[in-house]
């Protein structure tokens, strides 16, 4: 999960979360760019300007969309094998060498064989659907029963081969997608230490932000964010407990969809929270994200939460991609969450004007009375649920010598501290280990508090009171400088409300601060992904803020 919306209390936990900490931070200065107004970069290598970029070789598939790849395969211009081959070479050129983004933790050794098989099916007249032959990168906490490992970035699981595909992986394979590899992440999905650096794991090392290599890719889906921004695959998948899809999407100029909990199966995903965990698409366009969501969504007997999705899944989320989709929509602007500094606020004012120009009716501001009241309860819930979930997951592993409980993981880290904990410890895991079962009155009270404050007294209340279709707020600030000594320096965030409620949110690129992307988040009620896709797509078409990264060594700081 992203630590931008996570409390890290010492014992006893103070009622203050990471959002409250970052509001005390340094404000971002000038140097803003929105769509149509590129920021001026300093002279390459000059004082205060961006240093010389480290560009890889020109890439034929840069910024290509799923629809364009599909059309190319239908016409015979492309093959699935050729597409996969090009992306694998791109990983070599950008991730392993050159800028060395370090976002892909493992390449699928069977990717080309799978692609060739899918080409044979197409040649025989069988096309499984709109994602047939499309390469996808998935986060390394999602089980694949193949020659790849599933480790959550932890050295404790470095030899773990999942006995069964995750539920969503089964759906990807059935749709004819090519799982190209797995992406690095903040170890244990950023649920190990209160002083962690996002994007670092013991197994994978540090993932870099492709917009400025000394900056952070956010987390915990850091690798997916950086990889898809850098055009290492057509589409990607991350997971979120609180912020881990939307924060790296924000920092890497991507569209990220955090679905309603229960829309996408969590079976076979290394867990933190039964009440908040979900997987979701991380893509370069809203249409691509919508197409991927349609494949991922569906019931799974191994995940009871998906039972509630019956009758609530759209047959095709791309059908909601309407360039006029904002016209007449009542959108509430949550100014309480404009916490990422004045430069981001200036970007937001420009894109709010663009939304009005696209026909949206902005209710500005709207107040969510429960903001700032549920963070301590959320932390308590996650401690309880992570112990129960990790113990249950680890017990299913079949590779000899692996940890079977959270206590085993903690013990492994202590015994291999030099390799596992060179920069930060495991205080969160230790706190989780101290918790009891999910029948604890303290857990039940905290969970009820979270649901009441974020649903009935949160999103549901403000939507009903103001007759709103969606809420918007900045997703977060621009990427911060990675600091392995002191840990993360978040610049604001808005993920907590939807994450704790279990409701959907979508972040879309909105502009840039010193060349670093920032996004706008749309939030709505449960199962309203289609409506959010409609608004997000119309917004994307109105502002067109996505720009591919240039792999600068550091950000262009000259306004």
């Amino acid at each position: 999960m992203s630590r931008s919306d996570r409390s890290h209390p010492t014992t006893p936990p103070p009622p203050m979360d990471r959002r409250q900490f970052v509001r005390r931070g340094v404000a971002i200065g000038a140097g803003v760019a929105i769509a149509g107004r590129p920021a001026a970069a300093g002279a390459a290598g000059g004082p205060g300007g961006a240093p010389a970029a480290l560009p890889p070789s020109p890439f034929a598939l840069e910024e290509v969309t799923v629809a364009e790849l599909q059309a190319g395969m239908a016409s015979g211009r492309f093959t699935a094998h050729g597409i996969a081959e090009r992306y694998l070479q791109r990983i070599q050129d950008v991730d392993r060498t050159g800028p060395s983004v370090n976002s892909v933790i493992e390449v699928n050794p069977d990717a080309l064989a799978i692609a060739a098989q899918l080409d044979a099916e197409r040649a025989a007249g069988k096309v499984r659907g709109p994602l047939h032959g499309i390469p996808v990168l998935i986060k390394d906490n999602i089980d694949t029963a193949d020659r790849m490992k599933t480790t959550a970035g932890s050295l404790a699981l470095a030899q773990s081969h999942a006995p069964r595909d995750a539920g969503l992986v089964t759906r990807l394979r059935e749709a004819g997608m090519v799982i190209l590899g797995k992406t690095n992440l903040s170890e244990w999905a950023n649920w190990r230490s209160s002083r962690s650096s996002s994007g670092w794991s013991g197994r994978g090392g540090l993932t870099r932000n492709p917009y400025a290599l000394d900056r952070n890719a956010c987390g915990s889906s850091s690798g997916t964010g950086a990889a898809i921004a850098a055009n290492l695959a057509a589409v990607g998948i991350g997971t979120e407990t609180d912020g881990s899809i939307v924060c790296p999407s924000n920092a890497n100029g991507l569209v990220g969809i955090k679905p309603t909990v229960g829309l996408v199966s969590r079976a076979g995903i290394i867990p933190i929270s039964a009440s908040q965990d979900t997987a979701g698409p991380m893509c370069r366009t809203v249409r691509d994200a919508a197409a991927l969501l349609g494949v991922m969504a569906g019931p799974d007997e191994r995940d009871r939460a998906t039972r509630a999705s019956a009758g609530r899944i759209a047959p095709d989320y791309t059908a909601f991609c309407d360039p006029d989709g904002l016209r007449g929509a009542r959108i509430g602007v949550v100014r309480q969450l404009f916490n990422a500094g004045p430069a981001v606020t200036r970007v937001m004012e420009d894109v709010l004007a663009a939304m009005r120009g696209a026909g949206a009716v902005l209710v500005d501001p709207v107040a969510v009375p429960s903001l700032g009241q549920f963070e301590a309860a959320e932390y308590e819930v996650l401690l309880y649920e992570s112990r129960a979930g990790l113990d249950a997951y680890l017990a299913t592993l079949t590779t000899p010598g692996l940890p079977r409980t959270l206590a085993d993981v903690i013990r492994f880290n202590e015994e291999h501290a030099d390799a596992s904990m060179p920069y930060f410890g495991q205080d969160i895991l230790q706190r989780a280990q101290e918790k009891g079962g999910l029948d604890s009155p303290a857990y039940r009270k905290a969970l009820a508090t979270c649901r009441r404050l974020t649903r009935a007294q949160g999103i549901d209340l403000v939507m009903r009171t103001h007759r709103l279709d969606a809420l918007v707020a900045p997703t977060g600030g621009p990427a911060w400088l990675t600091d392995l000594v002191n840990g993360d320096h978040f610049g604001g965030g808005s993920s907590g409300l939807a994450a704790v409620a279990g409701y959907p949110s979508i972040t879309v690129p909105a502009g840039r601060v010193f060349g670093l992307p920032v996004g706008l988040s749309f939030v709505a009620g449960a199962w309203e992904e289609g409506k959010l896709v409609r608004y997000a797509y119309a917004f994307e078409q109105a502002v067109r803020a996505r720009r591919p990264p240039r792999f600068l060594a550091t950000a262009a700081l000259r306004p």
Side-chain angles (χ1 to χ4, degrees):
M1 66 183 291
S2 166
R3 288 168 59 233
S4 60
D5 287 278
R6 189 174 86 205
S7 57
H8 295 294
T10 55
T11 305
M16 180 178 292
D17 77 323
R18 175 65 71 173
R19 280 197 300 267
Q20 293 167 297
F21 292 144
V22 298
R23 288 179 190 137
R24 301 177 180 176
V26 178
I28 303 297
V32 178
I34 64 167
R37 290 211 319 255
L54 301 169
S57 302
F59 183 49
L61 300 182
E62 183 171 77
E63 299 294 291
V64 70
T65 66
V66 166
E68 289 166 344
L69 290 173
Q70 206 58 248
M73 286 187 283
S75 69
R77 180 186 172 201
F78 296 146
T79 63
H81 186 279
I83 292 168
E85 206 167 36
R86 289 184 182 186
Y87 279 122
L88 289 171
Q89 186 60 52
R90 175 75 169 179
I91 291 170
Q92 180 62 32
D93 293 344
V94 170
D95 215 54
R96 303 288 192 260
T97 61
S100 298
V101 174
N102 196 41
S103 61
V104 178
I105 202 167
E106 185 172 4
V107 166
N108 185 357
D110 300 316
L112 293 179
I114 293 168
Q117 177 187 341
L118 293 166
D119 283 332
E121 289 185 11
R122 185 183 293 273
K126 178 183 178 181
V127 177
R128 302 188 188 192
L131 293 176
H132 185 108
I134 300 298
V136 58
L137 285 167
I138 67 174
K139 188 175 177 180
D140 181 38
N141 62 346
I142 301 173
D143 282 348
T144 55
D146 52 22
R147 290 198 286 166
M148 291 188 292
K149 302 178 181 70
T150 305
T151 71
S154 172
L155 293 177
L157 298 184
Q159 300 305 317
S160 180
H161 288 271
R164 184 176 179 182
D165 278 341
L168 75 88
V169 169
T170 298
R171 298 185 66 85
L172 299 180
R173 296 195 199 277
E174 290 173 348
M177 299 196 75
V178 179
I179 300 177
L180 203 63
K182 293 193 175 182
T183 54
N184 195 25
L185 69 162
S186 311
E187 187 174 315
W188 292 108
N190 230 351
W191 190 243
R192 199 188 91 179
S193 170
S194 58
R195 298 183 65 83
S196 66
S197 289
S198 292
W200 184 89
S201 73
R203 181 185 177 212
L206 178 67
T207 294
R208 301 176 181 181
N209 189 307
Y211 287 87
L213 297 170
D214 59 350
R215 290 189 178 259
N216 202 273
C218 197
S220 61
S221 305
S222 317
T224 302
I228 302 307
N231 285 271
L232 305 190
V235 293
I237 293 174
T239 67
E240 175 162 327
T241 304
D242 187 339
S244 287
I245 289 172
V246 297
C247 184
S249 295
N250 173 76
N252 291 279
L254 297 179
V255 175
I257 301 180
K258 188 214 77 81
T260 304
V261 172
L263 190 78
V264 175
S265 171
R266 290 91 50 83
I269 298 176
I270 298 176
I272 293 176
S273 167
S275 61
Q276 293 181 210
D277 286 352
T278 185
M282 297 173 67
C283 303
R284 292 182 291 271
T285 71
V286 172
R287 185 178 292 275
D288 284 357
L292 183 54
L293 181 64
V295 166
M296 296 172 65
D300 183 350
E301 63 181 11
R302 292 195 290 155
D303 183 357
R304 287 185 297 175
T306 63
R307 296 174 186 172
S309 70
R312 290 166 160 163
I313 299 173
D316 178 10
Y317 286 100
T318 65
F320 293 94
C321 292
D322 177 3
D324 201 35
L326 278 169
R327 190 164 304 282
R330 289 179 59 84
I331 308 295
V333 181
V334 187
R335 294 274 171 180
Q336 294 156 285
L337 295 174
F338 280 52
N339 55 26
V344 174
T345 296
R346 286 194 288 274
V347 172
M348 294 301 122
E349 298 299 349
D350 284 331
V351 298
L352 290 175
M355 291 174 69
R356 290 189 189 94
V361 177
L362 300 188
V363 182
D364 185 6
V366 297
V368 180
S370 61
L371 280 175
Q373 299 178 26
F374 54 80
E375 288 79 7
E378 178 193 13
Y379 188 74
E380 187 80 353
V381 167
L382 299 190
L383 290 173
Y384 275 97
E385 291 184 347
S386 60
R387 179 181 177 180
L390 287 170
D391 279 351
Y393 175 85
L394 293 168
T396 69
L397 300 181
T398 57
T399 306
L402 293 180
R404 293 292 184 263
T405 65
L406 176 57
D408 291 343
V409 171
I410 293 170
R411 188 177 307 111
F412 176 95
N413 288 338
E414 291 171 346
E415 293 173 353
H416 302 84
D418 287 351
S420 293
M421 300 190 293
Y423 304 115
F424 50 86
Q426 55 179 345
D427 56 291
I428 293 177
L429 295 183
Q430 290 166 329
R431 290 191 185 108
Q433 177 59 28
E434 295 169 357
K435 295 299 181 181
L438 298 186
D439 56 352
S440 163
Y443 164 71
R444 292 180 175 178
K445 179 180 179 181
L447 181 61
T449 297
C450 285
R451 289 178 169 169
R452 172 174 52 83
L453 291 176
T454 59
R455 296 178 182 180
Q457 295 178 19
I459 294 171
D460 297 343
L461 174 64
V462 71
M463 298 277 282
R464 183 178 63 253
T465 300
H466 297 282
R467 296 178 293 111
L468 300 175
D469 295 301
L471 304 172
V472 293
T475 307
W480 60 93
L481 289 167
T482 295
D483 183 353
L484 290 168
V485 175
N486 297 301
D488 286 327
H489 306 280
F490 282 94
S494 61
S495 65
L497 187 62
V500 178
Y503 287 1
S505 65
I506 301 182
T507 181
V508 185
R512 294 167 300 286
V513 174
F514 292 114
L516 301 170
V518 292
L520 178 74
S521 281
F522 293 80
V523 174
W527 316 110
E528 293 192 318
E529 283 81 2
K531 187 165 71 171
L532 290 184
V533 166
R534 179 184 295 117
Y535 304 148
Y537 181 80
F539 173 79
E540 174 190 59
Q541 299 306 299
V543 302
R544 296 186 178 274
R546 159 88 187 158
R547 299 289 185 275
R550 294 190 293 146
F551 307 98
L552 301 180
T554 194
L557 298 181
R558 179 174 294 165

